[in-house]
Amino acid sequence: ASILCAVAALVLGEREDVGGSGPSEYVRALTEETFDSAVDNEEVSLVKFTAPWCGHCRDLKGKFDLAAETLVPEGIGMFDVNVEENEPLAERFGVTSFPTLFLFRRGGAKQGTKYTYRREVQDIIDFMRAKLRPIKELTTAEEVTAFVEDKSMGMLGVFESEDSPGAAAFRETAEDQAVHLRFARAPAALTGALGEPNAVFFVRYQPTLGK
């Protein structure tokens, strides 16, 4: 559907600016010169590549702006790239249809991850929050119990050191899957009943029959 924007514009022989596809108060416009430094300055950021004549870009703008009002104050970067003015950036990331969104992490401006999740306001908020803080730190026995007894599926990591290979692998998995699963980490002293440290437990609460 996004490609149809370009086709329609070419058939009409003009590129009509429908307005409202670019930046706003919370969404910063990026150029080829400012892109790398802006993205690398944020822990995580979401960048939308848009064209001023694209109706689908205009439709997304309102949702993206509303999500940005919540996310930017929480420390998440929300950016817009006008591909007509910054064609090299579109070529760099292989953008051929609009709008296209990419997720970036600090220090990773050279290689983003294409955003393929849903595009409603709350979906964008939930996705980016999960990417910013993919692992919840549990510090009390009560928090561990609450996490284990939650009815949704999750993974609990117990590691003696955050620098261990297992902890690193757990962190990478959480960064990739946190939108779909809950992830938490707890000290071994709080999870003795579950087993040995340096392990990952898949949890989903199943109440005892009759209760």
Side-chain angles (χ1 to χ4, degrees), residues 150-208:
D150 191 287
K151 290 183 172 61
S152 58
M153 292 182 289
M155 298 187 75
L156 175 63
V158 183
F159 306 101
E160 291 180 325
S161 171
E162 293 186 11
D163 298 325
S164 67
F170 184 71
R171 185 165 51 251
E172 290 178 5
T173 302
E175 289 177 352
D176 183 53
Q177 297 294 324
V179 178
H180 310 290
L181 286 173
R182 296 177 302 123
F183 288 83
R185 182 167 47 207
L190 298 177
T191 59
L194 292 175
E196 297 298 321
N198 297 316
V200 175
F201 303 94
F202 184 79
V203 297
R204 184 174 185 180
Y205 181 57
Q206 296 182 343
T208 303

Side-chain angles (χ1 to χ4, degrees), residues 111-193:
Q111 183 177 2
T113 301
K114 198 168 185 179
Y115 177 99
T116 58
Y117 199 57
R118 297 184 295 268
R119 296 184 176 185
E120 296 302 320
V121 176
Q122 194 58 50
D123 294 323
I124 296 173
I125 292 173
D126 291 344
F127 181 91
M128 294 305 294
R129 279 176 170 169
K131 296 301 180 180
L132 179 65
R133 298 285 183 267
I135 301 174
K136 183 177 182 179
E137 299 291 342
L138 307 180
T139 59
T140 68
E142 290 76 15
E143 288 179 344
V144 172
T145 299
F147 183 83
V148 171
E149 293 187 352
D150 191 287
K151 290 183 172 61
S152 58
M153 292 182 289
M155 298 187 75
L156 175 63
V158 183
F159 306 101
E160 291 180 325
S161 171
E162 293 186 11
D163 298 325
S164 67
F170 184 71
R171 185 165 51 251
E172 290 178 5
T173 302
E175 289 177 352
D176 183 53
Q177 297 294 324
V179 178
H180 310 290
L181 286 173
R182 296 177 302 123
F183 288 83
R185 182 167 47 207
L190 298 177
T191 59

Side-chain angles (χ1 to χ4, degrees), residues 51-116:
W53 42 264
C54 175
H56 292 292
C57 301
R58 177 195 59 196
D59 293 340
L60 176 62
K61 175 180 166 53
K63 300 173 184 178
F64 197 87
D65 288 353
L66 285 174
E69 288 181 19
T70 296
L71 294 172
V72 171
E74 295 180 5
I76 295 173
M78 301 288 281
F79 301 111
D80 177 85
V81 173
N82 181 333
V83 296
E84 285 201 331
E85 298 176 354
N86 301 279
E87 188 173 343
L89 281 176
E91 294 176 352
R92 173 172 155 184
F93 295 105
V95 176
T96 57
S97 61
F98 315 108
T100 294
L101 281 67
F102 273 88
L103 169 75
F104 293 90
R105 293 190 176 278
R106 189 190 302 277
K110 301 299 183 184
Q111 183 177 2
T113 301
K114 198 168 185 179
Y115 177 99
T116 58

